[in-house]
Amino acid sequence: MLDWAARLRRSEIDLPITVGLAGPTKLSDLIRYGVNCGVGASLAVLQRRALELRKLLRPVEPDSLLLEIADKTSKDGTPLISGIHFFPFGGLHDFLAWQDRALRNGIQSD
C-alpha cells in the first residue's frame, strides 16, 4: 500500500489517499468475513501463512501498521496516506476500547 502510494506521488498524482484498515480483529473472524464476502483466493494465501492455530484466536491490532503509515512521507514532506478508515470487524465494543487506549496512551510499537 505504501509502495503504491509512493508510486502515485512519483507520477505526480497527488490526490488524497484514504486507507481502509481492520480494527482489532481475530484472524479467524477476518477469514470468516472474507468467506462470506467471496474473497476465497486471498484467504487461501492467508490460511497457509497462519501456521499456528493460536494466532487465529488472538486479536490483531493495527498499531504497528499505523506507525509505519505515519512515518512515511513523500520526498516533498507530504504524507503518502492522508487518512485512515477503520472497519470494526472484531466488534464495535473492542474497536472503541482499542481506539480509547490508542488515543489516551498513543500507539505503541511492538
Side-chain angles (χ1 to χ4, degrees):
M1 154 190 59
L2 289 168
D3 290 342
W4 172 75
R7 283 194 311 273
L8 287 177
R9 298 300 185 241
R10 285 192 302 271
S11 299
E12 298 182 8
I13 299 172
D14 60 357
L15 295 171
I17 298 170
T18 300
V19 172
L21 295 178
T25 311
K26 289 185 280 184
L27 192 53
S28 58
D29 291 342
L30 282 177
I31 290 170
R32 186 172 42 256
Y33 183 79
V35 167
N36 291 336
C37 292
V39 292
S42 298
L43 289 173
V45 173
L46 183 61
Q47 287 174 319
R48 282 195 303 270
R49 298 183 82 187
L51 299 175
E52 298 180 40
L53 185 57
R54 66 177 178 228
K55 288 182 181 178
L56 295 174
L57 304 175
R58 254 186 316 196
V60 177
E61 295 181 344
D63 297 36
S64 60
L65 184 55
L66 287 174
L67 286 170
E68 187 175 350
I69 289 170
D71 189 47
K72 300 297 179 184
T73 58
S74 65
K75 289 181 182 176
D76 68 0
T78 59
L80 292 177
I81 306 298
S82 62
I84 297 174
H85 174 84
F86 288 101
F87 295 94
F89 295 131
L92 193 54
H93 181 268
D94 288 344
F95 170 74
L96 292 174
W98 169 82
Q99 181 185 43
D100 183 57
R101 179 192 55 79
L103 291 173
R104 273 189 288 110
N105 304 325
I107 299 294
Q108 305 295 318
S109 61
D110 294 336

